[in-house]
Amino acid sequence: MEGKMGVRALQILRARASFGSVNFARGFAGSADREGAETRLFAPCERTVRRDSLAQSGRIVAPGIHSRRWNSSVAASSTGAVLGPLKGNKADVAIIGGGIVGLATAREITQRFPKLSVVVLEKENDLVRHQTSHNSGVIHAGIYYQPGTEMARLCVDGARRMYKYCERNDLPHERVGKLIVATRERELPVLEDLHQRATANGVQGLELLSPKQITDLEPNVRALRALHSPNTGIANYARIALSYADDFLRNGRGQIRTGFNAKNVSADEVKGVEVQAKTGETVKARWLITCAGLQSDYVGKMAGGAKGPTVLPFRGTYHELRPEFRNLIKRNIYPVPDPAFPMVGVHLTPRTDGRVLIGPNSALALAKEGYKFWHVNLKDAITFGLNRGLWKLVLGNPGIVFQEIWRDINTKAFVREAQRYCPKLQVEHTTTGWAGVHAVAIDDSGQIVGNFLFESLSSGVVLNVRNAPSPACTSSLAIATTVVDRAAKDFAWKGDQGTID
């Protein structure tokens, strides 16, 4: 079967599902050998994490290549490739965006409406190149989000479904738990508020811990108080998203086009939708759903949607613990977030491959895909500079904004944040990791949009996902259900066979 698919198809499925600028093979090779020789330099924190088999083999193999069989047709192009059994450039539904939300939505459509054909259009030459593969890999329990919002509801439901999906598909994951730690007196009321929020959201198993209880769980962590969430976990979202793609293509009516960078969308209630790529290629569909992540404001507007909210890129740099220091912690350790600037802060996170991350910070980038400090995209920079909401955000939080930039370029300042709750951590225990860019939507008042946003257009043939930041990976299956529920209503789809986790 692999021979029929061809080399390029395997490159797509194997996807270079990278973590930052380090791909799977480079990041994982040899990690299993090194781990056995770790020196116990800290109080012992033994943890048993279900290993990612790729970490041990040093290979990248997308889920499903060897475990499942489906008949695909592959056609190479100068900019990418066409993968899947659906032939031609026409489909019932086109989805712009080959990240975890777009692929989960494609999967949901083909399972619930198996007679509909679906094409996923991805601008990169590989799938899951951005937020899906550049994140902490945490399965969030639903603690931070305002009760009653879609973000809160879909995170709690999404986490439940994510554990179930990973277990059924034998995907690396572990319910390692999480401590949110207060190290200053002023953080204690915020911690209590988080406890109340999480309880209202239906998060199970929460417990407020004393300093002794904290060190009983994590001998190297020091705090005044902590909120323990035993149901927070870790997963490999790049592999999960590729598993969604495999599910989607199995029904025989799916297609994935990579290297398809949309530059124009025409939408008409009678004629349907035509999406044109920068190469001149076109795809026609009856309906369009956009799930464009960092590009969701540009793509949403292109498809006929509102101008705002603006999606800002915040670069988050990660460092890693050197192999001999990975026994420092065994679960996620997070600081109490600053309510004035709702980012979760520099945290310690174990990974399914055995690595331990420190980070990220959250510094405004000058490019939608600004993975390096010096990356600047002129169009993006001008758009941000003219945005009133951004200026209000920066001027309202100048100390935090410049502090995040300083941490981005100064490793000692970066590590110092984690030392507040983990004093044994030293700069020499770390190595430079990689960076991710996460989407943050803001309105004209400078407020960060704290909810998932979906936009139905008057054309009657387009549905935009306008804001799906973290915890979108955790919530991906639940978001897909919500999107398809809306699409079925907006587009009058018939024959719903129900959601299958």
Side-chain angles (χ1 to χ4, degrees):
M1 187 63 180
E2 286 189 12
K4 294 181 180 179
M5 282 198 258
V7 174
R8 182 59 194 152
L10 290 178
Q11 289 175 337
I12 295 169
L13 278 175
R14 289 171 181 166
R16 294 205 314 265
S18 60
F19 293 93
S21 60
V22 184
N23 64 29
F24 273 15
R26 177 182 168 191
F28 290 174
S31 64
D33 295 335
R34 290 194 302 268
E35 189 166 345
E38 287 182 6
T39 304
R40 300 297 178 185
L41 300 179
F42 302 108
C45 287
E46 301 297 335
R47 63 187 178 93
T48 303
V49 178
R50 182 174 180 181
R51 295 290 177 199
D52 190 331
S53 60
L54 301 184
Q56 298 174 1
S57 68
R59 299 180 298 113
I60 171 60
V61 181
I65 289 180
H66 300 296
S67 62
R68 296 175 181 167
R69 298 287 181 179
W70 37 265
N71 184 25
S72 65
S73 62
V74 180
S77 72
S78 60
T79 57
V82 180
L83 174 66
L86 183 66
K87 298 182 183 297
N89 68 336
K90 295 181 180 180
D92 293 313
V93 186
I95 296 174
I96 296 179
I100 196 167
V101 173
L103 294 170
T105 300
R107 172 185 179 274
E108 181 87 3
I109 292 171
T110 55
Q111 288 192 346
R112 289 173 56 180
F113 298 92
K115 293 184 179 180
L116 293 180
S117 57
V118 181
V119 58
V120 172
L121 308 175
E122 168 54 44
K123 75 181 182 68
E124 304 292 352
N125 287 342
D126 297 315
L127 297 174
V128 300
R129 283 289 299 276
H130 295 293
Q131 293 185 97
T132 301
S133 58
H134 292 70
N135 60 71
S136 299
V138 174
I139 301 177
H140 292 284
I143 294 171
Y144 300 100
Y145 318 113
Q146 185 67 35
T149 61
E150 288 282 87
M151 191 170 281
R153 181 180 66 83
L154 297 181
C155 182
V156 173
D157 182 44
R160 176 188 61 81
R161 293 173 63 180
M162 182 59 66
Y163 282 119
K164 184 177 178 181
Y165 183 85
C166 289
E167 187 65 34
R168 189 175 66 246
N169 290 277
D170 197 29
L171 292 167
H173 69 288
E174 184 76 11
R175 206 181 295 250
V176 294
K178 172 179 179 176
L179 292 181
I180 303 176
V181 294
T183 59
R184 300 163 176 150
E185 290 286 343
R186 67 174 182 268
E187 294 174 344
L188 294 175
V190 182
L191 189 69
E192 180 60 42
D193 179 67
L194 288 177
H195 186 205
Q196 293 175 6
R197 278 191 179 204
T199 301
N201 290 338
V203 179
Q204 300 296 310
L206 297 171
E207 185 181 6
L208 287 168
L209 303 182
S210 68
K212 183 180 183 305
Q213 290 173 311
I214 293 168
T215 55
D216 286 345
L217 288 179
E218 292 287 350
N220 299 308
V221 174
R222 300 292 181 268
L224 300 174
R225 211 173 188 197
L227 180 60
H228 180 214
S229 170
N231 289 312
T232 299
I234 54 175
N236 184 326
Y237 285 119
R239 290 195 66 188
I240 290 166
L242 294 177
S243 182
Y244 292 168
D246 190 52
D247 294 342
F248 152 59
L249 293 177
R250 285 176 64 211
N251 97 320
R253 296 182 61 79
Q255 183 186 94
I256 295 172
R257 287 176 175 255
T258 62
F260 191 102
N261 193 351
K263 76 166 187 177
N264 184 62
V265 174
S266 60
D268 180 85
E269 186 175 4
V270 176
K271 296 180 181 179
V273 176
E274 181 174 281
V275 184
Q276 184 180 24
K278 290 184 177 180
T279 59
E281 295 175 88
T282 61
V283 166
K284 296 181 179 181
R286 295 169 65 187
W287 303 285
L288 173 68
I289 299 174
T290 70
C291 306
L294 286 158
Q295 311 289 340
S296 61
D297 50 351
Y298 291 166
V299 173
K301 185 180 178 183
M302 182 198 306
K307 181 180 179 181
T310 298
V311 174
L312 299 175
F314 279 78
R315 180 177 52 257
T317 300
Y318 291 89
H319 294 258
E320 296 183 22
L321 289 181
R322 295 182 182 277
E324 64 268 28
F325 300 105
R326 288 174 181 168
N327 61 317
L328 179 63
I329 53 98
K330 59 182 177 182
R331 55 177 54 75
N332 297 292
I333 312 295
Y334 278 60
V336 171
D338 188 334
F341 197 71
M343 305 300 180
V344 294
V346 174
H347 49 84
L348 293 170
T349 303
R351 296 297 291 252
T352 58
D353 62 1
R355 294 180 295 164
V356 177
L357 301 182
I358 312 169
N361 64 324
S362 192
L364 179 66
L366 294 179
K368 289 276 191 175
E369 295 159 12
Y371 291 97
K372 301 292 185 181
F373 182 82
W374 55 86
H375 284 180
V376 178
N377 179 287
L378 187 59
K379 173 190 173 183
D380 293 341
I382 292 173
T383 299
F384 304 155
L386 296 175
N387 186 276
R388 290 180 297 174
L390 172 60
W391 284 108
K392 291 177 181 178
L393 177 68
V394 171
L395 295 176
N397 304 277
I400 297 174
V401 170
F402 287 106
Q403 180 178 266
E404 292 295 330
I405 294 173
W406 177 239
R407 289 176 191 154
D408 198 34
I409 60 177
N410 187 296
T411 301
K412 288 184 178 179
F414 187 99
V415 174
R416 194 177 300 126
E417 275 301 292
Q419 286 174 329
R420 288 199 297 113
Y421 54 83
C422 190
K424 289 190 177 181
L425 176 65
Q426 301 298 319
V427 172
E428 54 267 28
H429 299 162
T430 71
T431 184
T432 302
W434 41 271
V437 180
H438 58 278
V440 176
I442 62 167
D443 59 26
D444 288 339
S445 70
Q447 295 296 309
I448 294 175
V449 178
N451 203 3
F452 297 134
L453 292 182
F454 311 98
E455 179 186 39
S456 300
L457 302 190
S458 58
S459 64
V461 293
V462 177
L463 173 60
N464 291 324
V465 179
R466 294 301 298 261
N467 189 45
S470 178
C473 286
T474 297
S475 311
S476 53
L477 291 170
I479 291 173
T481 297
T482 298
V483 170
V484 176
D485 284 346
R486 290 181 67 113
K489 181 179 178 181
D490 291 354
F491 306 151
W493 289 347
K494 304 297 182 184
D496 190 344
Q497 296 190 6
T499 297
I500 304 172
D501 283 344

